Amino acid sequence: MSNTTEPPSNPNTAATHLNDAVKGSCEQEDCSSQHEDIEKGKKSVGQDTYCFRSDIMKRGNDENTYKDGCCLGEDEAAPKDDCQDACCSGNKDTTEKACKDECCSGENAKTSCVDRIASRECESDCGEKAYGRDSRAKGTACAAHKHRTREKYAAKLAALECICQALIALGQESCCIAKGQPPTRIGRESRRSLGRAASSDCCNEPCPRSFSTAANNQHSTRAKNQDSSGTRECCGPASSSSHDSRARATGLAMEQSSGINKSINVIRSQGGCADVEKGALGNEHIALSITGMTCTGCETKLQRVLGTLPPISNVKTSLIMARAEFNLDIASMSPESVMKHLERTTEFKCERILTQGSYIDVIPSNVKDFLDRSPPFGVKDMLPVGSDAVCINFDPNIIGARSLINKSGRYSCQLAPLPTDPGLAAGSKHVHNLGYTTLLSVVLTIPVLILAWAPIEDRPIAYGAVSLALATIIQVAIAGPFYPRALKSLIFSRMIEMDLLIVLSTSAAYIFSVISFGYLVSGTPLSTGEFFATSTLLVTLIMVGRWIAALSRQKAVESISIRSLQSSTAQLVTQDGAVIEEIDARLLQYGDLFSVLPEHRVPTDGIVLSGDSEIDESMLTGESRLREKHMGSKVVAGSINGSGKLIVQLTHLPGENTISVIAGMVDSAKLSKPKIQDFADRVASYFVPTIIVLTIVTFIVWIGIGIAIQNKSSPDAAIQAITYAITVLIVSCPCAIGLAVPMVIVISSGVAAERGIIFKAAASMEMASKATHVVFDKTGTLTVGKLKVVNEKLFAQNNPTQRSMVLGLVVNSKHPVSAAVAGHYAELDIRAANVERIRVVTGKGIEGEVDGKVIRGGNARWLNVESDELVQHILSEGRTVFCVTLDSELFAIYGLSDTVRPEAAGTIAKLKESGIQVSLLSGDDAGAVQCIASQIGLNPDEARSRCSPSDKQAYIQDLLAVSVGTKKAIVVFVGDGTNDALALTQATMGMHMSTGTDVAESAADVVLVRPSLEGVLTAINVSHAAVRRIGFNFAWSFVYNILALLFASGALISAHRGRAIKIPPQYAGLGELISVLPVIATAVGLKWAKL
């Protein structure tokens, strides 16, 4: 990284440097055979003019090597003095002569650039053999590639005229990039991020700018590092300032040319210059699957190691999910470097996983060759998965999953077996590895126990030698991995964790065993005899405890997996229902039609094209009643078809359907941490150092007791003190404290999701139990939201025209009232009039212009027609009024009615019984609001009418400002999303009444997937149950550790007799198992709790 200097004061000077550099490269070769001398092509940006030359790219003998017709290697470079004059001087005259290239001028720029791109892509995809097949000349493209390439770059050509600018911005090969710069490819090591700028310059200096894709394109493709041998040095020892000026000119041109591509941003480094070989500037979201985490100390260590890396921000980790997610500045550090750093400093195994976008796992014939080849158009990223598979991240709008699999020749591959959830896969792998290690430890320990305890012939030295050998194997092979983890945690993370306690206790037991055996061989055995049975059994029981705890965690997480509802196959059909083939659901792509047979699950979201049936959507709605489906109906992934057959048009791919969206939200909640977790983390951080101090105190105290009170010799007193110290070290366990919160959060998140409630963050789950106020919106929340027009009064004579004007005003509005009026006229086959300049007035209505007149529709107060007798009559009936005026004259009046949800009154009553204050806010008129309030059991002062979005926000602010007794006010706002954004944001916690298929659109803290108010009660009950279980887990953890320490340290043993309840050191390894299992059982018990 080098420091970035300020750009030149005169932008034209920078442009001159750039153009002169182009001119220098053009003049190195006689281009007369390829181009005619015509006036230079320019792209004007603001007040500055920049010229970008374009040349003819020739295919070399090697199919992967491109030869630049105008940019030759250093062996043919122009003399250095010419470069200094032409390329680095900034002379305005030389600028005017630069880049006299026909291909950068007018329509030639468009045809020549696009044809060369199409030719390269065609040769890459179709291969050399295709030339004879379609009678096209070598170096040209087939019709399909020409058409696709012209469509792809149409917008860029319109903005730039020369496509080279767009290619530079995208980091791809262009005729304006030096010879030797390889085209953008996807390789195994770099993992490619789209938008990494391929950069070169005539001075062989790093470029101070780079490009990155927009934030919504997380998985992108990076260019390969440029080899120094391929870097053109036409300028000799040019000054760095000259280079910086040229590079900044390019960046400035790209920054100011908004027509290039709105998703490309020029990002300048603050205080430094990014090396293009390290990639583009900008953040990329990275998700890693972590194998090897056994306790909360491991998670803390992982967080600290990631937190020490400056390029990393927004770190989220989960021991339960075996995952880490963070944002990474890929200009400073690559994902591979982060993974290597983690593996080196923590001893964990890391594997990158894709959590966003569309991706598919394939098995190529050769992984290395597959990754090194140019990917098909539309592929963003390719990551190796294990030793034989590759995960492809692609844009489904460009290329479908089947197209990737069906590619022949160089892209040949087959679909990999259905993968499990990345977190579950990592956890399962860890459990299996731990199980095998534990089994080995058990096999090696059993002979030691037999030799020590079985009634066999007494041969102490022989048996001791065998026990020493087996104990040494256990200490090295089984307990050995604890040593580097403990030391690296101490060195890199500055923390003392559970692994250090295991190392200290097992090492003390083993060393003491070896010393005892040495005394035995020397003929002076110690009074305690051999200690190998204790040391080996201690290690084995530690492994058994960890394996059972890990297995219990894994089973608990697997039991609440939402993705298990996803169907694994789909049957492709034609529009008339003819079966094409049955495929893996992962191979579905846009444009597909699939059939849903009776009693089969719907593979993904879609719209019914033909057929009639009933579908069980209880997994989403919670209702046992089947829902009728016919042409035009929406079907949701995971629902079960009834007796009929349906032909469905795909609308969402399996990776982005309703189930996937819900599962992603649940995963996000599992990765988040509530505030109470901070308390657990603080306790756990002091736990291990406290145990070490208590161990030292225990050792010293028992030395004194043994000598002064029990009258033992110094060696015997030391031996006794060591046994107690070892027991204290290993019997205590911080894992129960660390798991008290995350285990409950993971299980409760899954349980809530199964009941149609999505907590987007763990903090929301903790907060719901403390709610003091619940504020409801009316339309669509307390009511079903399906308004019907029951009164209609038109004041003009020409009713059809009048209705057409009203329909033209409201036809595209999504507000429930406007939509109801539009639906009413749609049923009457009224055609909408042309209403212009339509504008929504938030909280009031909608307005536009028709035939030069202003037409408005909205509430009576906004339109100043409250005093109208008919308006008053409709309001007195408790109906919603929608009025329309034309040039301020009353034009039409509509009375609409809605239906109160059947569960609304019961929900309100139960909330009040629990001591929660309930309010109703609505933008409707007072009559309609008070009518609904009386039906659901609210007092008149608990319902407010004519509330604009800002009025709702102010009301919630007032509630938050006043404490409820000794408690701080916690306000929950429940709405359907219409005009509720301000209220949802202002409230302590926002709940969104979803329709099931719009889950991803909600910005609330909690999403009620099922359109039922009982979800509000269930969400609060789940929160109460979770908080109670967290409290129990904390209590159990403290009780266990206090009792365990008392027994282990001998505090409850008579100092004179020494006979009482105590924990033998060899059984202390069961401490983790005894402490953790109740925590897991308590959390899993939520699955059967009455909520």
Side-chain angles (χ1 to χ4, degrees):
M1 304 288 287
S2 60
N3 292 331
T4 303
T5 56
E6 293 295 321
S9 58
N10 184 0
N12 288 321
T13 303
T16 300
H17 286 308
L18 180 64
N19 291 332
D20 288 350
V22 175
K23 174 178 180 288
S25 63
C26 287
E27 292 177 349
Q28 292 176 42
E29 178 180 350
D30 182 9
C31 298
S32 59
S33 61
Q34 301 171 12
H35 308 288
E36 297 177 3
D37 290 332
I38 61 173
E39 63 181 28
K40 57 181 177 290
K42 295 184 178 180
K43 176 64 183 177
S44 180
V45 182
Q47 298 177 352
D48 306 319
T49 301
Y50 305 94
C51 173
F52 290 81
R53 54 169 289 281
S54 179
D55 61 1
I56 295 178
M57 303 295 295
K58 298 177 181 178
R59 187 84 170 183
N61 294 329
D62 186 346
E63 67 173 3
N64 291 325
T65 305
Y66 294 95
K67 185 175 181 181
D68 190 333
C70 290
C71 298
L72 298 181
E74 59 180 85
D75 54 334
E76 301 178 45
K80 294 180 180 178
D81 55 345
D82 292 345
C83 176
Q84 295 296 331
D85 294 338
C87 181
C88 304
S89 65
N91 192 320
K92 183 175 180 180
D93 294 336
T94 60
T95 307
E96 298 298 326
K97 300 176 182 179
C99 194
K100 295 179 180 180
D101 195 340
E102 183 178 11
C103 68
C104 286
S105 176
E107 288 299 317
N108 287 333
K110 301 182 180 180
T111 57
S112 60
C113 287
V114 171
D115 287 346
R116 282 195 294 276
I117 297 169
S119 174
R120 292 201 295 271
E121 290 189 358
C122 183
E123 291 184 22
S124 176
D125 292 347
C126 300
E128 300 285 347
K129 296 181 181 180
Y131 289 121
R133 226 175 22 244
D134 54 11
S135 301
R136 61 183 175 88
K138 188 171 183 178
T140 62
C142 64
H145 277 87
K146 284 183 179 179
H147 177 71
R148 187 174 71 181
T149 307
R150 288 182 183 277
E151 286 188 346
K152 174 184 176 184
Y153 291 104
K156 299 179 180 64
L157 286 171
L160 294 174
E161 297 182 357
C162 179
I163 200 64
C164 301
Q165 293 177 335
L167 290 177
I168 293 174
L170 290 172
Q172 297 180 6
E173 178 190 16
S174 80
C175 49
C176 295
I177 293 181
K179 178 189 174 185
Q181 176 87 18
T184 301
R185 296 178 185 271
I186 290 185
R188 181 173 53 188
E189 298 300 327
S190 62
R191 306 291 192 274
R192 288 79 189 144
S193 284
L194 225 172
R196 173 164 293 191
S199 173
S200 64
D201 63 87
C202 58
C203 299
N204 195 24
E205 294 282 345
C207 179
R209 54 91 186 164
S210 59
F211 302 89
S212 66
T213 58
N216 60 352
N217 191 5
Q218 299 286 358
H219 302 285
S220 52
T221 308
R222 294 180 215 136
K224 280 188 177 179
N225 293 343
Q226 179 179 346
D227 190 276
S228 59
S229 62
T231 303
R232 181 168 55 91
E233 297 183 10
C234 66
C235 296
S239 65
S240 60
S241 61
S242 298
H243 160 74
D244 288 342
S245 300
R246 290 190 302 274
R248 282 195 187 85
T250 306
L252 185 59
M254 292 300 174
E255 185 180 48
Q256 295 179 344
S257 299
S258 59
I260 298 175
N261 191 327
K262 292 183 179 180
S263 66
I264 300 173
N265 301 310
V266 178
I267 307 173
R268 289 183 175 84
S269 175
Q270 297 180 1
C273 167
D275 188 344
V276 294
E277 294 188 356
K278 291 183 179 180
L281 289 170
N283 285 340
E284 184 174 343
H285 186 74
I286 305 295
L288 300 179
S289 176
I290 310 294
T291 303
M293 292 197 295
T294 57
C295 64
T296 53
C298 298
E299 184 181 2
T300 303
K301 175 170 62 177
L302 177 65
Q303 288 177 333
R304 291 193 179 185
V305 170
L306 290 173
T308 59
L309 300 176
I312 289 179
S313 60
N314 194 24
V315 177
K316 295 181 180 179
T317 61
S318 174
L319 165 66
I320 311 298
M321 296 177 65
R323 182 183 295 183
E325 293 189 9
F326 50 87
N327 294 332
L328 175 66
D329 182 357
I330 56 176
S332 303
M333 198 172 194
S334 68
E336 294 74 33
S337 299
V338 174
M339 294 165 65
K340 290 178 181 178
H341 179 74
L342 279 179
E343 293 179 355
R344 180 175 62 87
T345 57
T346 64
E347 293 293 309
F348 300 148
K349 299 299 179 184
C350 306
E351 184 176 340
R352 188 175 174 188
I353 56 177
L354 299 178
T355 58
Q356 299 175 346
S358 297
Y359 48 88
I360 190 171
D361 290 350
V362 299
I363 301 178
S365 55
N366 186 299
V367 173
K368 183 179 183 302
D369 292 343
F370 186 83
L371 289 170
D372 287 339
R373 291 168 179 162
S374 298
F377 177 56
V379 172
K380 300 178 182 179
D381 202 355
M382 296 201 298
L383 302 173
V385 179
S387 58
D388 60 348
V390 173
C391 182
I392 303 177
N393 182 240
F394 62 96
D395 185 346
N397 295 300
I398 297 177
I399 187 170
R402 288 199 305 281
S403 301
L404 287 172
I405 299 297
N406 295 336
K407 280 284 185 179
S408 58
R410 66 192 301 175
Y411 301 117
S412 63
C413 57
Q414 61 181 355
L415 189 64
L418 187 67
T420 57
D421 180 84
L424 296 179
S428 179
K429 182 179 179 181
H430 173 66
V431 170
H432 281 92
N433 293 340
L434 205 56
Y436 292 139
T437 305
T438 303
L439 180 61
L440 175 62
S441 184
V442 170
V443 170
L444 295 174
T445 300
I446 290 175
V448 178
L449 299 181
I450 292 175
L451 294 177
W453 296 343
I456 56 179
E457 183 180 355
D458 189 16
R459 300 176 60 185
I461 295 180
Y463 296 159
V466 173
S467 298
L468 173 62
L470 294 175
T472 302
I473 295 174
I474 291 175
Q475 194 66 27
V476 173
I478 309 301
F482 290 111
Y483 287 81
R485 287 205 296 263
L487 292 176
K488 288 182 177 181
S489 176
L490 195 61
I491 296 171
F492 296 107
S493 304
R494 302 288 195 274
M495 63 177 291
I496 302 173
E497 59 168 1
M498 188 64 186
D499 285 343
L500 184 61
L501 298 185
I502 294 175
V503 166
L504 293 176
S505 58
T506 56
S507 299
Y510 174 74
I511 293 172
F512 185 72
S513 302
V514 173
I515 293 173
S516 298
F517 181 70
Y519 275 101
L520 177 64
V521 172
S522 66
T524 56
L526 298 176
S527 59
T528 56
E530 297 176 10
F531 216 62
F532 289 118
T534 298
S535 67
T536 55
L537 187 60
L538 177 61
V539 174
T540 299
L541 290 181
I542 290 173
M543 298 304 300
V544 169
R546 290 208 159 188
W547 175 67
I548 294 178
L551 180 63
S552 301
R553 290 199 307 267
Q554 181 70 10
K555 293 299 182 183
V557 175
E558 289 176 352
S559 67
I560 46 94
S561 177
I562 304 297
R563 291 184 174 88
S564 59
L565 297 172
Q566 196 87 267
S567 176
S568 60
T569 60
Q571 190 177 71
L572 292 181
V573 296
T574 60
Q575 195 153 5
D576 57 4
V579 178
I580 300 176
E581 63 175 328
E582 184 171 273
I583 63 170
D584 191 298
R586 292 173 291 168
L587 296 179
L588 287 169
Q589 53 193 39
Y590 289 123
D592 281 345
L593 304 180
F594 60 86
S595 66
V596 184
L597 300 177
E599 308 303 326
H600 282 63
R601 283 192 183 273
V602 178
T604 192
D605 298 354
I607 297 178
V608 177
L609 294 184
S610 64
D612 295 282
S613 186
E614 311 85 29
I615 284 187
D616 178 8
E617 294 182 347
S618 58
M619 44 72 65
L620 187 67
T621 65
E623 300 177 0
S624 58
R625 179 174 58 88
L626 298 179
R627 294 196 171 190
E628 294 184 1
K629 299 294 179 181
H630 45 77
M631 186 176 67
S633 299
K634 293 181 179 181
V635 293
V636 180
S639 55
I640 302 175
N641 190 20
S643 57
K645 177 182 177 181
L646 299 175
I647 305 299
V648 180
Q649 169 76 57
L650 178 146
T651 58
H652 293 84
L653 297 176
E656 58 188 25
N657 59 29
T658 303
I659 290 179
S660 297
V661 170
I662 292 175
M665 289 182 176
V666 173
D667 287 347
S668 297
K670 293 174 183 176
L671 279 169
S672 63
K673 299 181 186 299
K675 292 182 179 179
I676 197 172
Q677 181 67 46
D678 296 336
F679 170 74
D681 291 340
R682 284 197 301 270
V683 173
S685 65
Y686 292 112
F687 188 91
V688 176
T690 301
I691 295 302
I692 292 177
V693 172
L694 290 177
T695 300
I696 297 173
V697 171
T698 300
F699 179 79
I700 295 173
V701 168
W702 276 104
I703 287 284
I705 291 175
I707 295 175
I709 299 177
Q710 296 178 336
N711 297 319
K712 292 185 177 182
S713 63
S714 296
D716 290 341
I719 292 171
Q720 178 179 256
I722 288 175
T723 58
Y724 283 119
I726 291 174
T727 307
V728 169
L729 272 176
I730 205 62
V731 76
S732 53
C733 180
C735 296
I737 299 174
L739 284 175
V741 177
M743 197 72 221
V744 172
I745 293 298
V746 167
I747 299 299
S748 57
S749 298
V751 169
E754 290 175 352
R755 288 164 170 76
I757 299 150
I758 309 300
F759 287 95
K760 290 188 175 181
S764 301
M765 185 176 297
E766 179 186 9
M767 193 65 65
S769 64
K770 304 175 182 178
T772 59
H773 300 77
V774 174
V775 181
F776 289 96
D777 179 44
K778 182 179 76 71
T779 305
T781 305
L782 291 173
T783 64
V784 295
K786 295 181 179 179
L787 293 165
K788 293 184 178 180
V789 176
V790 294
N791 299 97
E792 179 186 24
K793 174 62 178 176
L794 303 177
F795 292 93
Q797 298 298 323
N798 190 354
N799 288 348
T801 302
Q802 192 173 8
R803 289 171 174 171
S804 296
M805 293 167 66
V806 174
L807 180 59
L809 177 67
V810 301
V811 66
N812 294 319
S813 175
K814 294 183 179 180
H815 192 280
V817 175
S818 299
V821 175
H824 172 67
Y825 282 145
E827 293 177 356
L828 300 177
D829 292 329
I830 303 295
R831 298 189 64 179
N834 183 25
V835 178
E836 301 175 339
R837 299 181 181 178
I838 295 176
R839 183 176 69 93
V840 174
V841 182
T842 304
K844 297 179 179 179
I846 187 171
E847 65 180 9
E849 292 184 10
V850 57
D851 297 335
K853 299 180 179 180
V854 177
I855 183 171
R856 290 189 177 96
N859 61 61
R861 183 177 55 170
W862 179 49
L863 299 176
N864 296 318
V865 294
E866 289 178 285
S867 58
D868 186 89
E869 292 182 2
L870 183 57
V871 171
Q872 290 296 321
H873 175 69
I874 296 175
L875 288 174
S876 66
E877 294 178 343
R879 292 181 178 142
T880 300
V881 175
F882 181 75
C883 300
V884 181
T885 63
L886 187 65
D887 275 351
S888 300
E889 294 293 329
L890 191 58
F891 191 65
I893 302 175
Y894 302 88
L896 301 94
S897 65
D898 201 352
T899 304
V900 176
R901 292 186 185 275
E903 73 279 3
T907 300
I908 300 297
K910 290 180 180 178
L911 287 173
K912 287 190 171 184
E913 288 175 4
S914 62
I916 297 176
Q917 300 179 23
V918 182
S919 304
L920 165 61
L921 301 180
S922 176
D924 211 341
D925 291 299
V929 173
Q930 291 300 329
C931 180
I932 295 295
S934 63
Q935 294 181 51
I936 61 177
L938 288 178
N939 299 322
D941 61 339
E942 293 175 327
R944 295 200 174 191
S945 58
R946 299 177 177 178
C947 293
S948 66
S950 58
D951 292 335
K952 295 179 182 180
Q953 182 186 30
Y955 180 79
I956 293 174
Q957 285 177 336
D958 293 340
L959 292 179
L960 291 170
V962 180
S963 300
V964 180
T966 58
K967 296 190 300 182
K968 179 182 177 181
I970 303 295
V971 179
V972 177
F973 181 84
V974 186
D976 66 340
T978 305
N979 293 334
D980 291 336
L982 285 176
L984 287 169
T985 304
Q986 184 63 52
T988 311
M989 185 172 69
M991 288 190 183
H992 175 215
M993 289 279 291
S994 170
T995 60
T997 56
D998 62 342
V999 177
E1001 300 173 7
S1002 173
D1005 303 297
V1006 180
V1007 180
L1008 306 180
V1009 178
R1010 301 170 183 173
S1012 172
L1013 289 173
E1014 292 178 350
V1016 178
L1017 292 173
T1018 305
I1020 294 175
N1021 291 338
V1022 168
S1023 176
H1024 277 296
V1027 171
R1028 284 196 301 268
R1029 279 163 171 75
I1030 289 173
F1032 172 82
N1033 287 344
F1034 277 136
W1036 163 251
S1037 301
F1038 284 114
V1039 169
Y1040 164 79
N1041 281 289
I1042 290 173
L1043 292 178
L1045 288 172
L1046 289 174
F1047 287 125
S1049 63
L1052 303 181
I1053 297 176
S1054 171
H1056 292 284
R1057 295 183 180 181
R1059 295 177 182 178
I1061 299 175
K1062 66 177 182 178
I1063 303 175
Q1066 61 267 33
Y1067 297 116
L1070 289 174
E1072 180 172 350
L1073 180 62
I1074 296 172
S1075 65
V1076 167
L1077 281 185
V1079 172
I1080 297 174
T1082 301
V1084 175
L1086 267 169
K1087 294 181 61 179
W1088 298 280
K1090 293 182 180 181
L1091 301 172

